[in-house]
Amino acid sequence: MKLSNSTSFATTGRSRNGEPWVWLTAAGLTFGVAMALGLFLLILIKGASSFWPRRIDLFEISAGPAAEKVAGYVTQETQRRDTAGTLHKEIQVFRGNKELNGEAFKFIDRSSIQSSSRPEALLLVERLEYGPAIVSAVALQTPAGKIPAGSSEFEQSLETILDQGRVARKKLLAIERGKIGAISRELASLARLEKSGNPDPPALAKRRGELQASFEILQQEAAAIRKTLAESSFTGITADGKEITYPAGTLLDVFPSNRAGFFERVGEMLLRMTRFLREDPREANTEGGVFPAIFGTVTMTLVMSLFVTPFGVIAAIYLREYAKQGAFVRMVRICVNNLAGVPSIVFGVFGLAFFVYFVGGGVDRWFFADQLPTPTYGTPGILWASLTLALLTLPVVIVATEEAISAVPRGVREAALACGASKWQTIQRIVLPASVPGILTGIILAMARGAGEVAPLMLVGVVKLAPTLPIDGIAPFIHPERKFMHLGFHIYDLGFQSPDAEAAKPIVYATALLLIVVVVGLNLTAILIRNRLKKRFAVSSF
Amino acid sequence: MMTSHPLSRPDFIQVDHFSFHYGEKQAIFDIDMNIPEHQVTALIGPSGCGKSTLLRNLNRMNDLIDGVRHEGDIRIGGISLYDPSVEVISLRKRVGMVFQKYNPFAKSIYENVIFSLRVAGRSKKSELDATVEWALKSAALWDEVKDRLHDSAFGLSGGQQQRLCIARAIANQPEILLMDEPCAALDPLATLKIEELILELKHQFTIVIVTHNMEQATRCSDRTAFLYMGKLVEFGHTMQIFENPKHAETEGYISGRFS
Ligand SMILES: Nc1ncnc2c1ncn2[C@@H]1O[C@H](COP(=O)(O)OP(=O)(O)O)[C@@H](O)[C@H]1O
Ligand SMILES: [Mg+2]
């Protein structure tokens, strides 16, 4: 490119032919991709590393005259300037043992550390309450007697005790939540029967007596299990010399973090991950798993798609195929599009007022009048949440379906009509099948939007801790009126409402990662289905 | 090529002083012609002269467009298409149509052929199978596709797809077959095949074909109508129209002076 060229169409610099714009747009894209990737990587690393069993350090510190020993793993390094203006380098250590120390974390000034080591004897103990503890083993108490740490049977017996605890907890849950729950439900229904004019008092009294008897038997069974559990325990000693005894019933897991090799640690990490996925939350959600939240999120999203798909598709068919195109339809279309821009919390308010109070209240008055004033459907629940989100995502499906329908070539429609098909037959047999991939794209977008929405759910059915799932083994098995847990709300709850935000941090990242995985998983499933359908009649003329 | 069917009615389709308007625009001006049964009638004329419009009125395909109206009448077998007792759907079962751009459905070859039976609610397997074989044989496509009837129709070549569309149009045994430039999107070889097919099919169907191709009209039609600016200029035996046109416009058009 010669700069001296003087013809008018010569390009004498990059600015002439617009190349800087290419760079600018490319930079914009790069920036966007980098942001998304960074966000995902942060969540991935933080989320995955929260399951990794870390090595435990033992610090000997001397703060002033007193010496202290602290065992724990480092979670953070910070700097602090005190009132005099001197800089302190500090580390934040997770030392567990919340019931002894009040706080699970401790900040230690680096300059006060005399020595640090990693004794192999240190164990990470997980139990039902107070989060993890860090101790060295002292002894085991079994029905057969006391077994001191270091003896040959110690490992074996500890394993037995842990297994016993697991089995016993499962049995207790089955008795107390399952069988005793069923009895109290039947007692409650007997009470309602009595209140609404008793048809047969002797039979009722007899049944009540039977229930009472089996209730007592179950209680005795539970007490017996508890008694055997109380015969075993694990005693450990903390770094600063306090002995604690953990009854077998509360003991979940004992892991030798410093002794374990790489593969053992990987195994432990996988174990922790599956527990996170499969267990109920404990201790104000900061411990345990998130299974109910996963279940709630997936169920809510699927039920939402179940509602939004037919409504959206039918509305789009009417708008595109039957309605007389004119000012009115244009206005409806504008309204539908604007619906997508309404803040989601507004939908929450609408869902609460319309679905919960109006529709739900009506259902209660008509079908559950005997239980009033306790509401059955007139209270937030998963059905209302799904319907609210279906409304929220309706525009997405309508717009996508309309586009898909109008993309079906006129020639194909005319061919169908020329074959003697009615308008509805043409829509049903030709237009809709051809639009399925486009409609599915709309549903995918709706699901992505719906699964990540939290604000409206807080008004129409999400709770911090739902004691029961919306689908379970108790007749009628599907309970659309129940409240539910949701991963998005779980993140908010843990991060901002938790009593111990510091302890909840890893679980927040892990839950965020899980939410992404669940949303991506739901979408991938839908995309796979769509591609299958597309492929079924793909062009393959070569 | 002037063979006429022994039982054919010379005025099977009667276009009776027919005019047609797309809103403000009038596309057909007072056309009056009788199309004989079991013959091939070609509609020729320059672009925009109203050939498709006239053809699409024979199965009331133009009813779908907003703001259209007509004057005059069209009768098939003596019964007016616009008679209140005539249902458009049953009319279209009697009048099949093949379009300029081949347009098979996103279905298997089999399902494409029997679409008109399906929408008519017929689903007896033996009947459907027999129809598929008969229609595909009539469309000279059977040998090429008999082993892959349940494959997608999109896997066929353009000419095969158009013959599939012909099979689809005749599957329900219509009396009339309308073809709007059926070879416009095809190569010469595929065109030749379709022309042979038309000569075969005229023994069973009354065929009205729109064409831009003069040779095609001479090769496969018995009668030819020349339309110009929405009016019927000349209508008669194909031989006579091409060898001895009575009107100057006709002569100009067929000799290629304007198109
Ligand atoms: N859907 C329509 N709306 C308005 N005008 C139309 C429509 N279809 C065709 N026309 C007009 O009617 C006239 C005849 O068209 P057409 O029958 O398609 O011509 P041909 O098939 O002979 O080329 C043309 O002037 C065309 O512009
Ligand atoms: Mg045309």
Side-chain angles (χ1 to χ4, degrees):
Chain A
M1 209 174 299
K2 265 190 283 175
L3 280 171
S4 58
N5 197 328
S6 59
T7 48
S8 59
F9 48 81
T11 49
T12 53
R14 298 213 142 164
S15 58
R16 277 278 176 91
N17 56 15
E19 252 177 76
W21 298 109
V22 177
W23 289 104
L24 193 69
T25 49
L29 178 70
T30 316
F31 187 67
V33 170
M35 295 275 279
L37 218 66
L39 174 78
F40 184 72
L41 277 181
L42 174 79
I43 290 173
L44 185 72
I45 291 168
K46 290 265 191 182
S49 68
S50 66
F51 296 103
W52 180 246
R54 270 175 279 188
R55 299 288 192 209
I56 301 168
D57 290 309
L58 178 67
F59 299 103
E60 286 185 46
I61 48 179
S62 64
E68 198 185 352
K69 280 185 179 177
V70 175
Y73 49 79
V74 180
T75 45
Q76 211 173 226
E77 304 204 13
T78 55
Q79 292 188 339
R80 182 175 60 90
R81 208 174 276 284
D82 66 11
T83 41
T86 39
L87 198 68
H88 295 271
K89 286 195 171 157
E90 290 189 329
I91 50 175
Q92 186 198 38
V93 173
F94 177 83
R95 62 164 162 174
N97 303 12
K98 210 165 21 175
E99 76 275 36
L100 298 177
N101 303 316
E103 285 243 24
F105 291 88
K106 185 180 174 64
F107 283 94
I108 302 175
D109 200 320
R110 270 197 183 286
S111 61
S112 69
I113 298 176
Q114 299 296 316
S115 71
S116 81
S117 59
R118 284 185 174 166
E120 291 208 332
L122 285 177
L123 302 172
L124 189 77
V125 179
E126 283 187 55
R127 57 251 166 95
L128 277 180
E129 283 172 321
Y130 300 116
I134 293 171
V135 294
S136 329
V138 173
L140 287 177
Q141 183 69 49
T142 66
K146 205 170 169 127
I147 300 166
S151 79
S152 56
E153 326 132 80
F154 184 84
E155 299 271 315
Q156 189 59 45
S157 311
L158 179 59
E159 228 21 76
T160 320
I161 287 180
L162 286 173
D163 279 343
Q164 256 178 5
R166 251 169 242 142
V167 172
R169 269 194 303 277
K170 211 179 254 175
K171 270 193 201 155
L172 282 174
L173 197 72
I175 290 176
E176 289 178 342
R177 239 200 239 166
K179 292 181 190 160
I180 294 185
I183 288 176
S184 48
R185 271 193 304 279
E186 195 174 340
L187 281 174
S189 76
L190 286 183
R192 272 202 303 279
L193 211 65
E194 203 164 42
K195 215 169 70 186
S196 61
N198 185 1
D200 187 3
L204 211 135
K206 182 161 165 279
R207 181 72 193 138
R208 184 171 285 157
E210 283 169 12
L211 288 174
Q212 206 70 47
S214 49
F215 173 71
E216 263 147 37
I217 293 171
L218 286 172
Q219 266 196 327
Q220 278 162 17
E221 266 179 51
I225 293 172
R226 288 224 160 75
K227 192 155 163 283
T228 11
L229 270 181
E231 283 168 8
S232 309
S233 66
F234 167 84
T235 306
I237 184 165
T238 63
D240 45 1
K242 289 182 197 136
E243 264 192 32
I244 330 172
T245 299
Y246 308 105
T250 63
L251 212 55
L252 293 175
D253 193 15
V254 177
F255 185 70
S257 299
N258 287 358
R259 213 175 329 135
F262 177 73
F263 292 106
E264 248 176 293
R265 287 164 89 193
V266 170
E268 174 73 6
M269 182 167 100
L270 293 178
L271 189 74
R272 286 183 189 179
M273 281 180 169
T274 42
R275 285 218 309 249
F276 181 67
L277 296 180
R278 291 178 46 185
E279 282 181 1
D280 286 353
R282 285 180 281 119
E283 300 190 53
N285 295 352
T286 54
E287 296 289 331
V290 292
F291 177 73
I294 301 175
F295 192 85
T297 308
V298 173
T299 313
M300 195 266 309
T301 310
L302 292 181
V303 174
M304 176 204 81
S305 336
L306 232 56
F307 282 118
V308 76
T309 309
F311 278 112
V313 170
I314 289 170
I317 290 175
Y318 183 77
L319 275 180
R320 184 56 65 178
E321 298 282 334
Y322 287 103
K324 202 164 149 43
Q325 305 296 318
F328 182 69
V329 167
R330 247 197 328 275
M331 218 174 69
V332 169
R333 212 167 267 141
I334 290 171
C335 289
V336 166
N337 287 337
N338 283 338
L339 213 57
V342 172
S344 55
I345 190 77
V346 176
F347 281 95
V349 174
F350 174 81
L352 185 67
F354 180 72
F355 291 126
V356 176
Y357 291 151
F358 181 72
V359 182
V363 170
D364 274 358
R365 264 194 304 287
W366 286 101
F367 300 103
F368 298 94
D370 55 337
Q371 299 191 8
L372 283 174
T374 315
T376 310
Y377 278 90
T379 172
I382 193 164
L383 175 69
W384 305 138
S386 304
L387 278 170
T388 305
L389 284 196
L391 203 66
L392 177 93
T393 51
L394 192 62
V396 181
V397 177
I398 291 183
V399 169
T401 308
E402 271 208 70
E403 249 160 50
I405 288 178
S406 56
V408 176
R410 219 181 83 174
V412 186
R413 288 162 197 266
E414 288 190 340
L417 292 168
C419 283
S422 66
K423 180 152 189 174
W424 172 241
Q425 282 174 326
T426 307
I427 292 171
Q428 183 203 355
R429 288 162 193 258
I430 302 299
V431 177
L432 278 185
S435 318
V436 163
I439 295 173
L440 275 173
T441 305
I443 296 171
I444 290 165
L445 290 174
M447 268 167 47
R449 168 109 205 256
E453 204 58 74
V454 176
L457 296 182
M458 288 157 72
L459 299 180
V460 291
V462 140
V463 283
K464 180 185 169 68
L465 188 67
T468 45
L469 296 176
I471 298 172
D472 63 15
I474 298 162
F477 309 116
I478 296 168
H479 309 275
E481 80 286 1
R482 281 191 185 162
K483 296 188 175 45
F484 65 107
M485 292 175 71
H486 185 278
L487 286 169
F489 182 71
H490 206 72
I491 294 170
Y492 166 75
D493 177 59
L494 284 169
F496 299 95
Q497 313 283 299
S498 157
D500 190 351
E502 206 56 56
K505 219 152 89 183
I507 221 174
V508 167
Y509 283 115
T511 313
L513 179 63
L514 195 59
L515 178 59
I516 293 178
V517 169
V518 166
V519 173
V520 169
L522 283 169
N523 282 331
L524 274 184
T525 318
I527 289 171
L528 281 180
I529 295 175
R530 182 183 64 184
N531 290 355
R532 262 205 124 96
L533 286 173
K534 261 191 192 162
K535 219 181 270 163
R536 219 166 71 195
F537 286 109
V539 185
S540 59
S541 48
F542 304 107
Chain B
M1 231 154 287
M2 307 290 272
T3 51
S4 81
H5 204 272
L7 294 170
S8 73
R9 288 168 273 181
D11 54 354
F12 184 51
I13 304 173
Q14 298 169 318
V15 181
D16 182 5
H17 294 286
F18 189 78
S19 300
F20 190 83
H21 306 255
Y22 291 107
E24 294 295 294
K25 182 176 165 55
Q26 184 165 3
I28 301 261
F29 294 82
D30 195 43
I31 287 188
D32 203 56
M33 64 193 279
N34 287 339
I35 298 173
E37 197 175 11
H38 294 303
Q39 290 197 4
V40 179
T41 303
L43 303 179
I44 62 169
S47 271
C49 70
K51 307 180 294 290
S52 297
T53 305
L54 178 61
L55 193 77
R56 291 163 58 88
N57 268 302
L58 299 181
N59 66 348
R60 290 185 57 180
M61 209 55 155
N62 271 344
D63 287 18
L64 301 171
I65 299 163
D66 278 338
V68 295
R69 74 197 154 81
H70 71 274
E71 288 131 31
D73 199 6
I74 298 177
R75 286 180 292 273
I76 293 179
I79 298 163
S80 166
L81 303 191
Y82 298 97
D83 191 296
S85 69
V86 169
E87 271 185 55
V88 180
I89 289 176
S90 55
L91 166 70
R92 291 193 188 133
K93 282 174 188 159
R94 293 176 58 196
V95 186
M97 187 162 194
V98 178
F99 297 80
Q100 177 171 351
K101 178 85 183 83
Y102 44 87
N103 48 9
F105 304 133
K107 295 173 181 290
S108 65
I109 294 171
Y110 188 95
E111 285 297 325
N112 260 284
V113 176
I114 57 164
F115 183 79
S116 55
L117 276 73
R118 285 246 188 255
V119 296
R122 303 223 295 274
S123 56
K124 224 171 80 195
K125 180 87 170 58
S126 56
E127 185 193 0
L128 298 183
D129 286 346
T131 304
V132 168
E133 186 169 347
W134 171 81
L136 286 175
K137 275 182 176 160
S138 306
L141 192 59
W142 175 252
D143 291 330
E144 290 157 63
V145 302
K146 63 171 183 257
D147 301 321
R148 46 172 173 152
L149 290 177
H150 296 282
D151 289 1
S152 166
F154 294 151
L156 301 174
S157 72
Q160 286 174 324
Q161 290 194 27
Q162 187 64 302
R163 275 180 281 147
L164 177 64
C165 291
I166 293 174
R168 181 177 68 189
I170 60 175
N172 208 7
Q173 307 269 7
E175 298 158 48
I176 299 166
L177 190 57
L178 308 177
M179 304 177 117
D180 192 349
E181 300 190 43
C183 305
L186 302 181
D187 58 80
L189 229 71
T191 301
L192 219 64
K193 264 213 148 109
I194 302 265
E195 285 176 10
E196 283 168 16
L197 186 57
I198 289 169
L199 292 176
E200 271 310 305
L201 291 174
K202 76 170 182 179
H203 301 299
Q204 296 173 68
F205 309 100
T206 303
I207 296 176
V208 185
I209 179 172
V210 171
T211 178
H212 246 110
N213 181 331
M214 295 308 114
E215 284 85 55
Q216 187 165 64
T218 49
R219 276 197 299 264
C220 58
S221 74
D222 304 297
R223 303 200 177 225
T224 298
F226 174 62
L227 274 67
Y228 186 56
M229 292 178 69
K231 298 189 178 85
L232 180 66
V233 176
E234 203 169 339
F235 179 42
H237 290 290
T238 300
M239 235 34 147
Q240 176 251 308
I241 295 277
F242 280 92
E243 279 167 12
N244 190 15
K246 293 204 179 75
H247 292 262
E249 286 118 340
T250 317
E251 192 180 355
Y253 179 70
I254 58 181
S255 61
R257 254 183 277 142
F258 62 95
S259 61

